[in-house]
Amino acid sequence: MIRCREPLYRPPAEAGSLILQAAYGCAHNRCTFCGMYKGVRYQVRPEAELFGEISEAARLYPETRRVFLADGNALGLGYDRLRPLLERLAEAFPRLARVNLYANCRSIAALTDGELTGLRRLKLNTLYTGLESGSQRVLDLVHKGESAAETVRQVRRAEAAGFTCSVMVLVGLGGQSYSEEHADATAAALNLMRPTLLSALRVIPPGVLFDGFRELTEYQAVGELHRLIGLLELERTVFRADHPSNPAPLAGRFPQDKYRLLAELEATRRGGLLDRDGPGMRPYAL
């Protein structure tokens, strides 16, 4: 029997993937901007239970080509748990092309170069990881528990080992007080990181992120994203800012689409339909 315990989250790009929960919840679970696993006790699932679920999934969905391993940092299971799990998935699904999962900086750093290469050979492909901000001050305020500089280094290590890293940043994470610092430092970190995939989401606070936090208005959020994109100097990066949280949905590639993206944001700001006075969402047109 396939067991899915709520809440269950996956990236939008994994809509067509078979989802298997290798663990429940998030081992860190202290980021103030994230309400995904609050109230969920972190628990690694027993191997025998998970392998039985894989056998059942193989019976029901034998043509599976993509698998997403949940929950919120499955790479943190480590090499000794992931290797047999990936081997079992390859045995169960003959047409398997790739396995993707969430990963944080610490979980990448815990793996040797040889272990990273070994997992990549076993069809582990895309690591979804959150930079969130390049400002260490902002990261500390929201209790991210990681270093922006170390995240840059670990993403570069993972991509050098053959992984595709899908990196997320959060527009508005620094609030009104640190908006420019957040945009500038995030652009600087991304320029060093050069991820294959980049997503920008507007932060929707589940509560007060830090003392003195004031959420950006829609108008300010579009301005912050404009500043961030204007500072990016990326090569061969696919960019998405089309999550429903974003007041101005965008998609393109760097470097060729940079100035089109900036023009679309500027047109949105001049359209007169963004909320300048408060954080509430209002209709807009491009």
Side-chain angles (χ1 to χ4, degrees):
M1 178 179 179
I2 299 177
R3 300 174 179 85
C4 288
R5 181 184 294 181
E6 299 291 343
L8 178 63
Y9 297 96
R10 50 89 180 153
E14 300 298 328
S17 299
L18 173 67
I19 301 178
L20 296 170
Q21 285 176 295
Y24 297 125
C26 172
H28 180 63
N29 208 19
R30 290 190 290 276
C31 299
T32 62
F33 58 84
C34 178
M36 287 169 59
Y37 302 109
K38 294 296 187 283
V40 177
R41 182 175 66 87
Y42 180 71
Q43 178 184 352
V44 176
R45 295 185 62 193
E47 185 177 89
E49 179 180 288
L50 189 55
F51 279 22
E53 190 168 294
I54 291 171
S55 297
E56 178 65 7
R59 184 183 68 81
L60 295 171
Y61 314 110
E63 302 300 308
T64 293
R65 294 182 56 82
R66 292 170 58 109
V67 171
F68 180 75
L69 294 178
D71 273 346
N73 181 33
L75 192 68
L77 294 174
Y79 181 79
D80 289 341
R81 285 183 177 269
L82 283 171
R83 180 185 55 76
L85 175 54
L86 293 170
E87 290 172 343
R88 180 70 190 102
L89 287 170
E91 292 170 1
F93 301 106
R95 300 189 63 192
L96 184 68
R98 60 184 59 187
V99 180
N100 303 332
L101 44 66
Y102 287 125
N104 65 17
C105 168
R106 287 190 300 276
S107 63
I108 301 172
L111 298 169
T112 67
D113 290 346
E115 288 171 340
L116 283 171
T117 301
L119 294 177
R120 181 66 192 91
R121 288 175 179 161
L122 292 171
K123 300 183 181 180
L124 189 60
N125 185 78
T126 301
L127 309 182
Y128 294 93
T129 190
L131 171 63
E132 327 302 1
S133 176
S135 163
Q136 194 59 49
R137 184 204 322 246
V138 170
L139 292 180
D140 291 343
L141 283 169
V142 299
H143 304 299
K144 173 69 174 175
E146 294 187 335
S147 155
E150 184 63 8
T151 301
V152 169
R153 193 174 85 85
Q154 295 306 327
V155 167
R156 294 187 64 169
R157 277 188 71 229
E159 294 223 335
F163 289 96
T164 295
C165 288
S166 182
V167 175
M168 182 178 70
V169 298
L170 292 175
V171 175
L173 188 62
Q176 295 185 21
S177 298
Y178 303 112
S179 180
E180 288 190 8
E181 176 182 326
H182 170 56
D184 293 0
T186 301
L190 291 170
N191 287 338
L192 292 173
M193 183 185 287
R194 301 190 179 278
T196 302
L197 305 174
L198 172 62
S199 296
L201 286 69
R202 182 185 177 206
V203 68
I204 305 296
V208 178
L209 300 193
F210 52 83
D211 287 344
F213 176 82
R214 290 180 297 155
E215 186 176 352
L216 298 189
T217 67
E218 287 183 340
Y219 188 82
Q220 291 169 332
V222 171
E224 182 178 283
L225 184 57
H226 188 283
R227 184 182 183 96
L228 170 64
I229 290 176
L231 293 168
L232 290 177
E233 299 294 338
L234 300 174
E235 300 175 2
R236 299 183 298 277
T237 294
V238 176
F239 174 74
R240 293 283 185 273
D242 52 3
H243 188 270
S245 64
N246 293 333
L250 300 172
R253 292 176 177 268
F254 282 91
Q256 59 264 42
D257 293 328
K258 173 177 176 175
Y259 293 103
R260 173 181 63 79
L261 296 171
L262 290 171
E264 290 182 11
L265 286 169
E266 187 59 31
T268 300
R269 294 183 82 196
R270 292 179 177 178
L273 295 175
L274 294 176
D275 184 354
R276 291 171 176 255
D277 301 320
M281 303 289 283
R282 294 175 54 191
Y284 61 87
L286 288 176

